[in-house]
Amino acid sequence: MTFASRIASLIVTLTMTAMPLHAQTINVMPMPAHVAMAQGRFYIGTRFSVEMAGYHEPRIDHAVGRFLGHLKQETDVTEPRAFTTGDPEASMRLYCAHAGEPEQSVSEDESYSLVVTQSQIRLDANTPAGVMRGLETLLQLVDKDEHGYGIPALEITDSPRYPWRGLLLDVSRHWEPVDVVERTLDGMAAVKLNVFHWHLSDDQGFRFESKVYPKLQGMGSDGHFYTQNQIKDVIAYARDRGIRVVPEFDIPGHSTSWCVGYPELASAPGPYTIERHFGVFEPTLDPTREEVYTFLDHFIGEVASVFPDHYIHIGGDEVNPKQWDANPNIQAFMKAHGIANDDALQAYFNTRLLAIAKKHGKSIIGWDEVLTPNLPKDVVVQSWRGGAALGVAAKAGHATILSNGYYLDAFKTAADHYAVDPLGVAPPDLTPAQKKLIMGGEVCMWGEYVNPVNVDSRIWPRAAAVAERLWSPANVTDVNSMYRRLAILDAHLAAYGLTQDRYQKTIFNEQLQGATCEALPIVASVLTPLTDWSIKVTSAVPLNRLKDVVKPESLEAWELSKLVENPKANAEAIRNKLVLWQNNATAVMPVMRDHPMLTEDVPVAQMLNDVCQTGLQALGYITSGEPAPASWSAAQAAFLAEAAKPHNEVVIAITPAVQVLVNDAAGTTH
Amino acid sequence: MTFASRIASLIVTLTMTAMPLHAQTINVMPMPAHVAMAQGRFYIGTRFSVEMAGYHEPRIDHAVGRFLGHLKQETDVTEPRAFTTGDPEASMRLYCAHAGEPEQSVSEDESYSLVVTQSQIRLDANTPAGVMRGLETLLQLVDKDEHGYGIPALEITDSPRYPWRGLLLDVSRHWEPVDVVERTLDGMAAVKLNVFHWHLSDDQGFRFESKVYPKLQGMGSDGHFYTQNQIKDVIAYARDRGIRVVPEFDIPGHSTSWCVGYPELASAPGPYTIERHFGVFEPTLDPTREEVYTFLDHFIGEVASVFPDHYIHIGGDEVNPKQWDANPNIQAFMKAHGIANDDALQAYFNTRLLAIAKKHGKSIIGWDEVLTPNLPKDVVVQSWRGGAALGVAAKAGHATILSNGYYLDAFKTAADHYAVDPLGVAPPDLTPAQKKLIMGGEVCMWGEYVNPVNVDSRIWPRAAAVAERLWSPANVTDVNSMYRRLAILDAHLAAYGLTQDRYQKTIFNEQLQGATCEALPIVASVLTPLTDWSIKVTSAVPLNRLKDVVKPESLEAWELSKLVENPKANAEAIRNKLVLWQNNATAVMPVMRDHPMLTEDVPVAQMLNDVCQTGLQALGYITSGEPAPASWSAAQAAFLAEAAKPHNEVVIAITPAVQVLVNDAAGTTH
């Protein structure tokens, strides 16, 4: 065993032994609404059978089949069985009261209850969706003791706090094939998210196969789009997991890809080409020409025939009015119709669009910008701007969804996202009826810096923190408990086929050109990415630099931040960690120098080495009991301020915890 | 068997039976200098042994090993054997007189002679390189008759006409991994090309691992570059096949990728990012600062230590003087040093560069633009501009290489390239000594529209026509013979692992989203690509449209052009072909409508249908003996003029042959 791998296994040991220190709660995420622990434990053994009683349909068979499949994969069960006829020996009795909504909506009943005794499991739900939620909870409850796999005896009564718990996946800026979409749905099901918001068009690509206007994808997608058959499969896959699919077609801005095949839709003459950069661009649909609405009528009719959900998202964000302002016909139209400004013109567009959607039996959702004084009340407003906008919308009578605070590409921590509660960030003066309009939220995976290789790592496990925020009671806010369960869930998701761990190997291999370096993942485990949005990039840039391979959050850094809360008691654990990282930072530097894709990151490794050194010195002062000299403290604070900045879009995530140690060493905090 | 596949097998039959119609020459490409056919045939059987006598080294073992491997793969040989001790039973005696040059140069002796009798094969060469050339000839001579695999009895004495027979591969604009490079070298060896010109840097990527300046590839390559170990492997792989490797680093223009990591090299302040578009860009090295030469000194020293060839190519083409003209320091330097203009400044740069190269034991090559009055004589000039430039260079005493006329990305036919002879396009008034300075030529595979999937199809088999032009005697110019042998060589190259046929399946699969369509390859077989360079593209555009999948040359169209030379005699063959294409054009249209990536090409299929219809009508007039009415001829000519234009960068390649039929129908040509 090499030095690096010996040290790597040390980490695992530390992590494992650190677990039991935390509160004695169940390892489920999102935390159920009501949990009552009982005495004893149900042991699973090798044979496990499920009796399905009450209302029955294929979705229940499928959900039970998936449940038993995972049980077989993760426990000693060798003979899983499911049946609908009575059997007094059944390991588990499942009862579904009645059918769910023909088409799942925000009103769907997702509640369930679970009773686990030493001899049997009972799962009761009103609908198949509730059955699915209960099965996911049950699967997460499985653990192992000295007698084998089992589930603690308990009673759970559970239902969601918000009915709209979504995840947005942008497949325009980088293409994501169907298998990525499906495994994202698997992850969503595991944490009880129930709306898949499919961002299907943007400047960089039109990803929906239109048979009515085939040049949309034919010229606007580089051949990377979903056929209608594939989309129907995805919708069925989602419905099988109790997940709605809401398509987004972003108009009138963010619409370059529409104009490649149909330049006549735009507000300035073409030709247009697919946009390769990221940002806000000029091509914008022309809201003043009837032909545009005829086109949208046919197009939305087609979309409505493919997507069964009641909502179609029409985007509406970040309209660049340059084409409108420069087009004399549009200016004349505005004058003739008394349309005062660009915002009013977009409001006119939205009103027309809403009428078209209604004609096809749909309602629309738009981003903040669609909210104008005369906007019809049945338009849902999704806020990327924040809680104040949420309040404005709700006060104007609009149902709303929060996404501000839930942007995964901002590389915030799970704790950051966890702290954002839609009702918590909304203005406090809302009436109960207005509060009810706040339907939930959506975590957003924008596509500028994700591809099929790294996308899972950008979504998971952090999205689970938002899933818990939207499902669990408002008072479930213990960050320590959340992180403890998040680490367990993270491993659980891997069993669902998600790749948030495996992806690193792919990119490290490319960076190391086939060489191996055990120090690199250890160093990477305390680094996080931070996008410098001022750097001009295009979709041609491969996502294979260190910033693309480090995980959005360092759970190692979080663990250190807990340990430094009590540095004297935890001195040995802290020292072990700092020595580990310092040794591996030293080991990784020559490798980085030898491998050009990593050479730019030698200063990061050097900086990590130095940060660890500062931490070890601080720990020396702390354990000696003698305060550090003020000059030393000042010098270290200056260094750490520098170290805390991103280098090549990579951040040394342990720096704040080391600053806590430096403060402590100076005697300033105790 | 479906209609389409029945028709497809009909094509194959037609092609096969058409072969024996041609002249009774050997099926070797390039055609050897002297061939004397003898009586009888050497049959290979199942056991085949080679005695290697005379000078011996591992390269001979490797070449014989490859030869025997192919023999085993393509014939009935099951027990190939090679040995160095005498054995009167040996199938083949190979004799190598002496070692080749320690480092192969333009002076290397590549001559060989082959004597094949009914009982034995003799291959004699002065050097291992000659052995390799002879073995390739021998392998191509193998064919099958009713008694089995064999080689006709004959005597060949062969040596090349030009000593510099190169292939340029641009790996900057699109990345090509090592396996593409190696199979390109396999193809080169098969047709006796002997210089691999590796275009390693351009605006879009720096592909050489510099250990001295690691930010060159670290920041300028997206991680897509060759390590020095990989480069050494490629050089060894090439040497094993008698191929020199000449690296090109294009400066002072085409140098954006240098400036990403080292903006201080440029003539304007940075920062710079990797260029994603194609064209001529501004970043240009600063020829007035000593630091730039210090950098180049260290860099060229490093390059010289990796590449053993005597030449380093320094590009020098298409310098955009904008940065020079705008930089007051550069302007002041020019004034102070009496440098009159931008060309003189580049000449100054080249002179300095030459001195650096000489210091490291190398000579330099540059494109046309480096040729200035005071350029030292030992700089080789490579002409992309044409024969006149070749003459100017030779008259000024420079060795030269021709590339004008050999650009594979221009999508010319093999016959077009075949017609270009370096000495043929040079001015006729050159002295014998000046003619000797014309060392040969290089076929160029620029990288804008090639990637690992389609690159083989863009190089092969057309590059073989240039290989023959540069190897075979000047009077080997029979285009019919060339095409006959080219078709056979094309199949032979597939056995070398080249993918110029297989690649289509990959792209068709993507376009058809998993569906099958047998009509599509048949329609594609009469289409060729034609790049519209006015369309602004970037490296982010995937190469998956119809224009990326059709082959650069339609051998079907060439066959038709031969048949229409005698339309009455060939009426049935012509009709069969036109009906085949028309039926498949009709069959492909609904498939194209249903598959959005192909929908843009429905008009191409329609046009092909109509072109075939015109051809069939013309054939009707021709066989009836009654001239077509003038009004019909005029209408068809107008239509064919329209049909001959590219549509979505795709050309209907049979249109000129159909125009011949229309002329014939009018009685204008016979």
Side-chain angles (χ1 to χ4, degrees):
Chain A
M1 190 179 249
T2 64
F3 172 76
S5 72
R6 193 169 55 76
I7 294 295
S9 62
L10 184 64
I11 291 195
V12 175
T13 316
L14 283 171
T15 312
M16 289 291 128
T17 55
M19 292 292 168
L21 299 172
H22 297 282
Q24 257 300 359
T25 60
I26 58 169
N27 297 327
V28 175
M29 195 164 196
M31 183 60 74
H34 305 281
V35 182
M37 302 303 292
Q39 286 298 321
R41 182 173 166 82
F42 176 90
Y43 283 99
I44 295 173
T46 58
R47 301 171 60 157
F48 191 92
S49 56
V50 180
E51 180 198 84
M52 300 177 287
Y55 170 76
H56 194 77
E57 67 165 52
R59 288 201 295 165
I60 294 177
D61 285 331
H62 299 165
V64 170
R66 290 195 302 272
F67 169 78
L68 291 175
H70 282 296
L71 216 56
K72 191 174 172 185
Q73 184 188 335
E74 296 175 48
T75 71
D76 297 330
V77 168
T78 54
E79 294 178 51
R81 244 165 26 98
F83 48 86
T84 51
T85 54
D87 175 351
E89 300 293 305
S91 319
M92 169 170 170
R93 293 186 187 279
L94 183 159
Y95 178 80
C96 181
H98 54 70
E101 295 174 320
E103 192 54 48
Q104 187 178 321
S105 79
V106 283
S107 316
E108 183 70 288
D109 185 342
E110 299 175 89
S111 67
Y112 69 95
S113 70
L114 259 178
V115 179
V116 180
T117 67
Q118 288 182 315
S119 56
Q120 209 178 39
I121 301 168
R122 268 202 71 101
L123 167 58
D124 287 89
N126 288 327
T127 65
V131 168
M132 295 173 206
R133 307 298 176 244
L135 289 171
E136 295 291 348
T137 300
L138 197 54
L139 205 56
Q140 292 188 27
L141 282 168
V142 175
D143 59 9
K144 195 176 183 179
D145 69 8
E146 61 275 25
H147 304 299
Y149 290 98
I151 299 168
L154 49 64
E155 291 193 22
I156 284 176
T157 316
D158 200 10
S159 59
R161 182 161 162 241
Y162 291 104
W164 191 298
R165 305 179 309 281
L167 182 148
L168 174 149
L169 184 66
D170 168 10
V171 296
S172 175
R173 293 183 174 87
H174 276 92
W175 166 241
E176 302 290 353
V178 169
D179 62 322
V180 169
V181 172
E182 291 188 345
R183 64 180 195 243
T184 302
L185 291 166
D186 291 339
M188 290 175 67
V191 298
K192 303 182 173 66
L193 290 171
N194 67 354
V195 180
F196 178 62
H197 175 159
W198 209 353
H199 188 79
L200 282 165
S201 81
D202 215 302
D203 298 300
Q204 295 82 1
F206 192 95
R207 309 297 182 198
F208 167 82
E209 179 198 24
S210 171
K211 299 190 179 189
V212 181
Y213 296 110
K215 287 191 285 182
L216 283 169
Q217 74 279 11
M219 299 179 69
S221 79
D222 296 316
H224 293 152
F225 62 90
Y226 309 98
T227 64
Q228 291 197 7
N229 281 336
Q230 288 176 321
I231 290 168
K232 283 170 187 166
D233 287 348
V234 165
I235 292 168
Y237 193 96
R239 178 170 161 78
D240 239 19
R241 286 152 181 79
I243 298 171
R244 298 161 48 206
V245 177
V246 174
E248 176 179 355
F249 295 95
D250 202 347
I251 45 176
H254 283 285
S255 58
T256 308
S257 65
W258 298 62
C259 304
V260 181
Y262 301 95
E264 63 272 25
L265 296 175
S267 304
Y272 294 90
T273 57
I274 295 174
E275 181 57 55
R276 305 295 171 184
H277 292 81
F278 305 132
V280 175
F281 302 98
E282 293 177 16
T284 308
L285 303 196
D286 184 343
T288 69
R289 278 189 291 117
E290 280 310 305
E291 300 88 315
V292 173
Y293 296 107
T294 306
F295 186 105
L296 289 172
D297 185 8
H298 295 156
F299 176 73
I300 288 178
E302 186 180 21
V303 169
S305 75
V306 173
F307 290 93
D309 200 86
H310 182 60
Y311 289 99
I312 295 175
H313 202 301
I314 54 92
D317 56 318
E318 299 181 324
V319 174
N320 180 337
K322 196 162 163 181
Q323 289 195 340
W324 291 353
D325 296 348
N327 182 329
N329 294 335
I330 292 177
Q331 294 305 310
F333 180 94
M334 289 170 70
K335 207 164 179 181
H337 292 72
I339 295 172
N341 54 34
D342 296 322
D343 285 350
L345 185 59
Q346 191 179 351
Y348 168 80
F349 177 77
N350 289 335
T351 307
R352 296 288 305 266
L353 209 55
L354 181 67
I356 291 171
K358 275 197 165 165
K359 175 180 156 192
H360 297 290
K362 303 290 185 184
S363 288
I364 64 175
I365 314 177
W367 296 101
D368 283 319
E369 290 92 327
V370 303
L371 183 60
T372 44
N374 297 321
L375 187 72
K377 299 291 173 250
D378 53 350
V379 176
V380 176
V381 178
Q382 179 167 14
S383 178
W384 64 273
R385 288 181 176 163
L390 222 55
V392 174
K395 283 176 186 169
H398 293 281
T400 63
I401 314 162
L402 181 68
S403 278
N404 179 282
Y406 296 150
Y407 272 29
L408 295 168
D409 58 327
F411 296 131
K412 304 260 187 212
T413 64
D416 292 333
H417 296 309
Y418 198 57
V420 179
D421 182 338
L423 281 169
V425 298
D429 61 344
L430 296 183
T431 67
Q434 288 166 350
K435 282 184 180 171
K436 239 187 136 42
L437 287 171
I438 299 178
M439 297 192 295
E442 283 188 1
V443 64
C444 294
M445 185 71 265
W446 295 106
E448 283 88 344
Y449 296 100
V450 293
N451 64 11
V453 173
N454 75 355
V455 64
D456 289 10
S457 77
R458 274 46 194 152
I459 301 177
W460 309 107
R462 291 180 303 149
V466 179
E468 174 155 299
R469 174 57 47 243
L470 298 173
W471 176 282
S472 304
N475 63 359
V476 175
T477 53
D478 179 349
V479 172
N480 293 341
S481 163
M482 184 274 284
Y483 271 115
R484 185 179 57 77
R485 291 174 294 118
L486 193 71
I488 296 168
L489 177 78
D490 197 27
H492 182 67
L493 289 173
Y496 276 73
L498 294 168
T499 65
Q500 73 274 14
D501 278 312
R502 283 187 280 140
Y503 85 106
Q504 285 200 324
K505 210 172 167 180
T506 306
I507 311 183
F508 282 145
N509 273 348
E510 187 174 350
Q511 293 173 338
L512 293 168
Q513 300 255 351
T516 54
C517 172
E518 286 159 334
L520 186 53
I522 295 171
V523 165
S525 74
V526 291
L527 305 177
T528 55
L530 192 64
T531 303
D532 180 349
W533 292 93
S534 74
I535 298 176
K536 179 186 148 199
V537 283
T538 90
S539 49
V541 177
L543 303 178
N544 59 7
R545 292 171 57 219
L546 191 61
K547 62 119 180 143
D548 300 302
V549 69
V550 299
K551 295 191 180 181
E553 176 163 17
S554 165
L555 293 181
E556 288 290 339
W558 185 78
E559 254 189 62
L560 184 68
S561 76
K562 298 315 293 178
L563 291 172
V564 300
E565 286 177 5
N566 197 347
K568 266 196 173 136
N570 298 324
E572 196 184 335
I574 296 170
R575 182 172 292 110
N576 284 343
K577 281 181 180 292
L578 293 173
V579 168
L580 167 73
W581 298 326
Q582 186 171 42
N583 285 342
N584 282 285
T586 312
V588 91
M589 277 190 268
V591 179
M592 285 180 157
R593 270 188 216 102
D594 274 2
H595 291 90
M597 289 180 67
L598 292 166
T599 305
E600 62 173 349
D601 298 304
V602 170
V604 176
Q606 181 64 56
M607 192 82 81
L608 173 60
N609 174 83
D610 298 348
V611 168
C612 291
Q613 186 58 33
T614 294
L616 288 167
Q617 288 175 4
L619 206 61
Y621 285 115
I622 291 165
T623 50
S624 78
E626 192 188 324
S631 60
W632 180 87
S633 302
Q636 300 312 313
F639 161 67
L640 290 176
E642 190 58 32
K645 294 178 189 165
H647 308 272
N648 294 324
E649 305 183 89
V650 168
V651 172
I652 297 167
I654 59 165
T655 309
V658 169
Q659 180 64 56
V660 171
L661 287 177
V662 168
N663 294 347
D664 224 85
T668 54
T669 54
H670 287 102
Chain B
M1 190 178 250
T2 64
F3 172 76
S5 73
R6 192 169 54 77
I7 294 294
S9 61
L10 185 64
I11 293 195
V12 174
T13 316
L14 283 172
T15 312
M16 289 291 128
T17 55
M19 293 291 165
L21 299 173
H22 296 283
Q24 260 299 5
T25 59
I26 56 169
N27 297 326
V28 175
M29 197 165 193
M31 183 59 74
H34 306 280
V35 182
M37 303 303 293
Q39 286 298 322
R41 183 173 165 83
F42 176 90
Y43 284 100
I44 295 173
T46 56
R47 299 171 62 157
F48 191 93
S49 55
V50 180
E51 180 198 85
M52 300 176 287
Y55 172 75
H56 195 79
E57 67 165 52
R59 286 200 295 164
I60 294 178
D61 286 330
H62 299 165
V64 170
R66 288 194 304 273
F67 169 78
L68 291 175
H70 283 294
L71 217 54
K72 191 174 171 185
Q73 185 189 334
E74 297 176 45
T75 71
D76 297 329
V77 169
T78 54
E79 295 177 50
R81 241 162 31 94
F83 49 86
T84 50
T85 53
D87 176 351
E89 299 293 305
S91 319
M92 169 170 169
R93 292 187 188 279
L94 182 158
Y95 178 80
C96 181
H98 53 71
E101 295 174 320
E103 191 56 45
Q104 188 177 322
S105 80
V106 283
S107 318
E108 183 69 288
D109 185 341
E110 299 175 88
S111 66
Y112 69 94
S113 69
L114 260 179
V115 179
V116 179
T117 67
Q118 288 182 313
S119 57
Q120 207 179 38
I121 300 168
R122 268 205 72 101
L123 168 57
D124 287 89
N126 288 328
T127 65
V131 168
M132 295 172 205
R133 306 298 176 246
L135 288 171
E136 295 292 349
T137 300
L138 197 55
L139 205 55
Q140 292 188 26
L141 282 168
V142 175
D143 59 9
K144 195 177 185 179
D145 68 10
E146 60 276 24
H147 305 297
Y149 289 98
I151 300 168
L154 48 62
E155 291 194 23
I156 285 176
T157 317
D158 199 10
S159 59
R161 181 160 163 243
Y162 291 105
W164 191 298
R165 306 179 308 281
L167 183 149
L168 174 150
L169 184 66
D170 169 10
V171 296
S172 174
R173 294 184 173 88
H174 276 92
W175 166 242
E176 303 289 354
V178 169
D179 62 323
V180 170
V181 172
E182 291 188 344
R183 65 180 195 243
T184 302
L185 291 166
D186 291 339
M188 290 177 66
V191 296
K192 304 183 174 63
L193 290 171
N194 69 354
V195 181
F196 178 62
H197 176 159
W198 210 351
H199 187 79
L200 282 165
S201 80
D202 214 302
D203 298 301
Q204 295 81 2
F206 192 95
R207 309 298 183 199
F208 167 83
E209 179 198 25
S210 171
K211 298 188 180 188
V212 181
Y213 297 109
K215 286 191 285 182
L216 284 169
Q217 74 280 9
M219 297 179 70
S221 80
D222 296 317
H224 293 151
F225 61 91
Y226 310 98
T227 63
Q228 292 197 6
N229 281 337
Q230 288 175 321
I231 290 168
K232 284 171 187 166
D233 288 348
V234 165
I235 291 167
Y237 193 96
R239 179 171 162 77
D240 237 18
R241 284 152 183 79
I243 299 172
R244 299 161 47 206
V245 178
V246 174
E248 176 180 353
F249 296 94
D250 201 348
I251 46 177
H254 284 284
S255 59
T256 308
S257 64
W258 298 62
C259 304
V260 180
Y262 301 95
E264 63 272 23
L265 296 175
S267 303
Y272 295 90
T273 57
I274 295 174
E275 181 57 54
R276 305 294 171 184
H277 292 81
F278 305 132
V280 175
F281 303 97
E282 294 177 16
T284 307
L285 303 196
D286 185 342
T288 69
R289 278 188 292 116
E290 280 310 307
E291 301 88 315
V292 172
Y293 297 107
T294 307
F295 186 105
L296 290 172
D297 185 9
H298 294 157
F299 176 74
I300 288 177
E302 185 180 23
V303 169
S305 74
V306 173
F307 290 92
D309 200 85
H310 181 61
Y311 289 99
I312 294 176
H313 202 302
I314 55 93
D317 56 318
E318 299 180 323
V319 175
N320 180 337
K322 195 162 164 182
Q323 287 194 341
W324 290 353
D325 297 347
N327 182 328
N329 293 336
I330 293 177
Q331 293 305 311
F333 179 94
M334 288 169 71
K335 205 164 180 182
H337 291 72
I339 296 172
N341 53 34
D342 295 323
D343 285 349
L345 186 58
Q346 191 179 350
Y348 169 79
F349 177 76
N350 290 335
T351 308
R352 296 288 306 265
L353 209 54
L354 181 68
I356 291 171
K358 276 198 163 163
K359 175 180 157 193
H360 297 290
K362 302 290 184 185
S363 287
I364 64 175
I365 313 177
W367 296 99
D368 283 321
E369 290 92 328
V370 303
L371 183 58
T372 44
N374 296 321
L375 186 71
K377 298 291 172 252
D378 52 350
V379 176
V380 176
V381 177
Q382 179 167 15
S383 178
W384 63 275
R385 289 182 176 162
L390 223 55
V392 173
K395 284 177 186 170
H398 293 280
T400 63
I401 314 163
L402 182 67
S403 278
N404 179 281
Y406 297 150
Y407 272 28
L408 296 169
D409 57 328
F411 296 131
K412 304 260 186 212
T413 64
D416 292 333
H417 297 310
Y418 198 58
V420 179
D421 181 337
L423 281 169
V425 299
D429 63 343
L430 296 182
T431 68
Q434 288 166 349
K435 282 184 180 169
K436 236 180 139 45
L437 288 171
I438 299 179
M439 297 193 292
E442 284 189 0
V443 64
C444 294
M445 185 70 265
W446 294 106
E448 283 89 343
Y449 297 100
V450 293
N451 64 11
V453 173
N454 74 355
V455 65
D456 289 9
S457 76
R458 275 47 193 152
I459 301 177
W460 308 108
R462 293 180 302 150
V466 179
E468 174 155 298
R469 175 57 47 242
L470 298 173
W471 176 281
S472 303
N475 62 358
V476 175
T477 54
D478 179 348
V479 172
N480 294 342
S481 164
M482 183 273 284
Y483 271 115
R484 186 179 59 78
R485 291 176 292 119
L486 194 70
I488 296 167
L489 178 78
D490 197 27
H492 183 67
L493 289 173
Y496 277 74
L498 294 167
T499 65
Q500 73 275 15
D501 279 310
R502 284 186 280 138
Y503 84 106
Q504 286 199 323
K505 209 168 168 186
T506 306
I507 311 182
F508 283 144
N509 273 348
E510 186 174 350
Q511 293 173 338
L512 293 169
Q513 299 256 352
T516 55
C517 172
E518 285 158 337
L520 187 53
I522 295 171
V523 167
S525 74
V526 291
L527 304 177
T528 54
L530 191 65
T531 303
D532 180 348
W533 291 94
S534 74
I535 298 175
K536 181 186 146 200
V537 284
T538 89
S539 50
V541 178
L543 303 179
N544 59 6
R545 291 171 57 218
L546 191 60
K547 61 115 182 148
D548 300 303
V549 71
V550 299
K551 295 190 180 180
E553 176 164 17
S554 165
L555 293 182
E556 289 290 337
W558 184 78
E559 254 188 64
L560 184 68
S561 76
K562 297 317 292 177
L563 291 172
V564 301
E565 286 176 4
N566 198 349
K568 266 196 175 135
N570 298 325
E572 194 184 334
I574 295 170
R575 183 172 291 110
N576 284 342
K577 282 182 181 291
L578 293 172
V579 168
L580 168 74
W581 298 326
Q582 187 172 41
N583 284 342
N584 281 285
T586 312
V588 90
M589 277 190 270
V591 179
M592 285 180 157
R593 271 189 215 98
D594 273 4
H595 291 91
M597 287 179 68
L598 292 165
T599 306
E600 62 172 349
D601 298 306
V602 170
V604 176
Q606 181 64 58
M607 192 82 80
L608 173 59
N609 174 83
D610 298 349
V611 169
C612 291
Q613 186 58 35
T614 294
L616 288 167
Q617 288 174 7
L619 205 61
Y621 286 115
I622 291 165
T623 50
S624 76
E626 190 188 324
S631 61
W632 180 87
S633 302
Q636 300 312 314
F639 161 67
L640 291 176
E642 188 58 33
K645 294 178 188 164
H647 308 271
N648 294 325
E649 303 181 90
V650 168
V651 172
I652 297 168
I654 58 166
T655 310
V658 170
Q659 180 63 58
V660 171
L661 287 178
V662 169
N663 295 347
D664 223 85
T668 53
T669 54
H670 287 103

